[in-house]
Amino acid sequence: MGNRYLCLALCLCALIPSMLDAASDGLLRINMKKRPLDVNSIKAARKESKYVNGLKNTPHGLSDGNEDVVPLVNYLDAQYYGEISIGSPPQTFTVIFDTGSSNLWVPSSKCIFSIACYFHNRFKGTKSSTYTKIGDNLQINYGSGSISGFSSKDTVQVGDICVEDQDFIEVTKEGSLAFVIGKFDGIFGLGFKEISVGDLQPVWYNMVEQGLVKEQVFSFWLNRNEADEEGGELVFGGVDPNHFIGEHSYVPVTRKGYWQFNMGDFLIGNQSTGFCEGGCAAIVDSGTSLLAGPTAVVTEINYAIGGEGVLSSECKTLVTEYGDMIWDLLVSGVTPGKVCSEAGLCFSDGRQSVSSNIETVVGKENDGLGDTVLCEACEMAVVWMQNQLRQSATKEAVLSYVNKLCESIPSPAGESVIDCNTLHKMPNVSFTIGEKLYTLTPEQYILKTGEGAATVCISGFMALDMPPPTGPLWILGDVFMGVYHTVFDYGNLQLGFAKSA
């Protein structure tokens, strides 16, 4: 019986590529579903996110250490998911196709002590004739919990093709409550092998090596029309011309691991923020719904669109007590990166990250101003003041502006609520990528949840601070990818963007 299943599986995997060649365009299409967004899932996801803690553990392959940690994203924020199957005969799983990580993992039948596993489909290796257990113990670390399991190999079916001898992780422990309410069983990583936990071969790599795709390209079309049931399509092996308008503009991948590239200036309305004039690192991440950026810039955005942040008495105290000094140092020509150390607020000539964890700014109301908090608040104030100086504003106007920005610092959980009736007054925001502006309108970067009187509008921006040399870092999630069709060109190591159809 087992041999018969094995022969059948191998025959199917051999036949399907030839069937694809006979298709009209030779593209492998994965239909994706979407689920409604709600405030509670956003809060839960952000608290569980690796990004909340600024990726304190550097991903494997990107540092000099021996850490083996995958970069994880706000999976619960992700609205788009699809189905794959593993084994012979196939066992079906719902997964998030995530360009921000590189492993394939699903719950295992051996996961018996984690309640989250009982709410999702579990893989049974004994039921598959093509299954091989590798057995290496692996762990994926989160900001507040972890997932652990062991490595295995089996046939993985994606759409209409079979990937043979595919590495994946069988999860035996899900240590985070967030996974109990997750709408997905597992994660299908589409990042580079450099950040794969256990150095396991990503599915996409095997698709290429086994000749299952016509081109070394995959592309995302995310449907942002709330009324449509269709969530979008992930296309392996090329692009669908019906998914975009005009031509794609390409930028090179600058660092293999994430799909990372260099981004230029960020604009609110038609006004430069000045924060990324010298360039910022950015990644395109299908595993998170929102747009994440440095706290200093996200605060300016939330102020410009009327977002309600958490009042930071520390920030206002800094403006009151040290605002004049910071102004005088900037006006006198002191380099912005050295202003805070010159003022005695940072005790290092090396620039610290701007709020490496925003909780240190807004979450210690009873602790007073520690040295680290003063330094972080000062660095944010310098960014804001420098931007206003370019516009020749007076000192009084600048200090008043910075004081108001303090009120818009994102809360520790990151959410910023917007008045839904003010969308028509909000500015556009634009990213400079490859010397081209990619603009989002308020209707595109504000997320709505609920209906009628219960409708809530949420800022599509959340704060993320990563220290140099990795940061500053922007994460362009589904809010961006829904507006701009994105091509992940593995063969030429580049990313392409065009307006979605």
Side-chain angles (χ1 to χ4, degrees), residues 400-414:
S400 175
Y401 173 73
V402 173
N403 202 49
K404 290 178 181 177
L405 285 182
C406 289
E407 299 178 5
S408 296
I409 293 176
S411 67

Side-chain angles (χ1 to χ4, degrees), residues 3-323:
N3 289 334
R4 188 171 68 183
Y5 275 133
L6 178 60
C7 291
L8 177 60
L10 293 176
C11 288
L12 285 174
C13 286
L15 285 172
I16 288 174
S18 63
M19 293 166 57
L20 278 177
D21 290 336
S24 59
D25 56 10
L27 301 178
L28 170 60
R29 303 166 186 273
I30 307 298
N31 292 322
M32 291 188 289
K33 301 175 183 178
K34 60 183 177 181
R35 65 182 180 86
L37 194 70
D38 64 88
V39 178
N40 290 331
S41 69
I42 288 177
K43 290 180 180 178
R46 286 171 177 160
K47 290 175 181 176
E48 299 301 329
S49 169
K50 189 73 176 178
Y51 291 138
V52 168
N53 287 330
L55 281 177
K56 292 181 179 178
N57 293 313
T58 305
H60 176 68
L62 300 183
S63 71
D64 295 329
N66 296 317
E67 296 89 358
D68 199 14
V69 181
V70 72
L72 293 177
V73 298
N74 297 325
Y75 290 132
L76 282 181
D77 276 354
Q79 295 175 279
Y80 300 89
Y81 54 89
E83 289 186 349
I84 65 167
S85 62
I86 303 176
S88 306
Q91 302 173 39
T92 302
F93 299 91
T94 297
V95 296
I96 288 175
F97 295 96
D98 174 33
T99 59
S101 63
S102 299
N103 291 89
L104 169 63
W105 65 259
V106 294
S108 170
S109 60
K110 295 180 173 59
C111 182
I112 56 177
F113 296 111
S114 296
I115 189 172
C117 290
Y118 291 93
F119 286 84
H120 298 96
N121 295 317
R122 291 182 288 172
F123 178 75
K124 302 177 179 63
T126 57
K127 300 292 185 180
S128 174
S129 61
T130 48
Y131 171 73
T132 301
K133 178 179 178 180
I134 302 174
D136 293 336
N137 294 323
L138 300 169
Q139 179 171 301
I140 301 176
N141 294 322
Y142 287 79
S144 56
S146 64
I147 289 176
S148 58
F150 59 91
S151 56
S152 299
K153 280 183 183 286
D154 208 331
T155 297
V156 173
Q157 185 166 340
V158 185
D160 293 327
I161 67 172
C162 291
V163 182
E164 300 178 16
D165 296 322
Q166 176 58 51
D167 296 336
F168 68 104
I169 299 173
E170 289 189 61
V171 171
T172 55
K173 182 179 180 182
E174 298 189 20
S176 172
L177 183 62
F179 288 96
V180 175
I181 58 176
K183 302 296 184 182
F184 55 90
D185 300 317
I187 304 298
F188 188 112
L190 288 166
F192 290 92
K193 190 174 180 178
E194 279 77 358
I195 56 172
S196 174
V197 165
D199 201 35
L200 299 185
Q201 182 89 329
V203 182
W204 168 249
Y205 280 56
N206 276 334
M207 285 185 179
V208 172
E209 293 179 8
Q210 295 177 22
L212 302 176
V213 290
K214 294 184 68 174
E215 297 180 49
Q216 295 183 29
V217 169
F218 59 90
S219 54
F220 275 88
W221 170 66
L222 304 183
N223 185 0
R224 302 298 281 181
N225 189 337
E226 296 178 6
D228 290 348
E229 291 185 7
E230 183 180 19
E233 273 191 344
L234 166 58
V235 176
F236 288 107
V239 297
D240 185 338
N242 295 317
H243 288 164
F244 61 91
I245 300 169
E247 299 293 332
H248 288 87
S249 296
Y250 286 86
V251 292
V253 171
T254 56
R255 193 177 193 184
K256 290 173 69 176
Y258 306 109
W259 285 87
Q260 183 171 321
F261 62 98
N262 285 332
M263 188 183 84
D265 199 9
F266 179 80
L267 288 76
I268 302 175
N270 296 318
Q271 185 65 48
S272 166
T273 61
F275 193 85
C276 288
E277 282 185 334
C280 283
I283 64 174
V284 186
D285 187 356
S286 62
T288 182
S289 284
L290 306 183
L291 294 158
T295 299
V297 181
V298 171
T299 300
E300 288 194 75
I301 296 168
N302 284 336
Y303 172 72
I305 65 179
E308 289 185 78
V310 174
L311 177 64
S312 173
S313 59
E314 292 93 338
C315 184
K316 286 197 166 189
T317 298
L318 176 91
V319 175
T320 301
E321 297 184 2
Y322 299 96

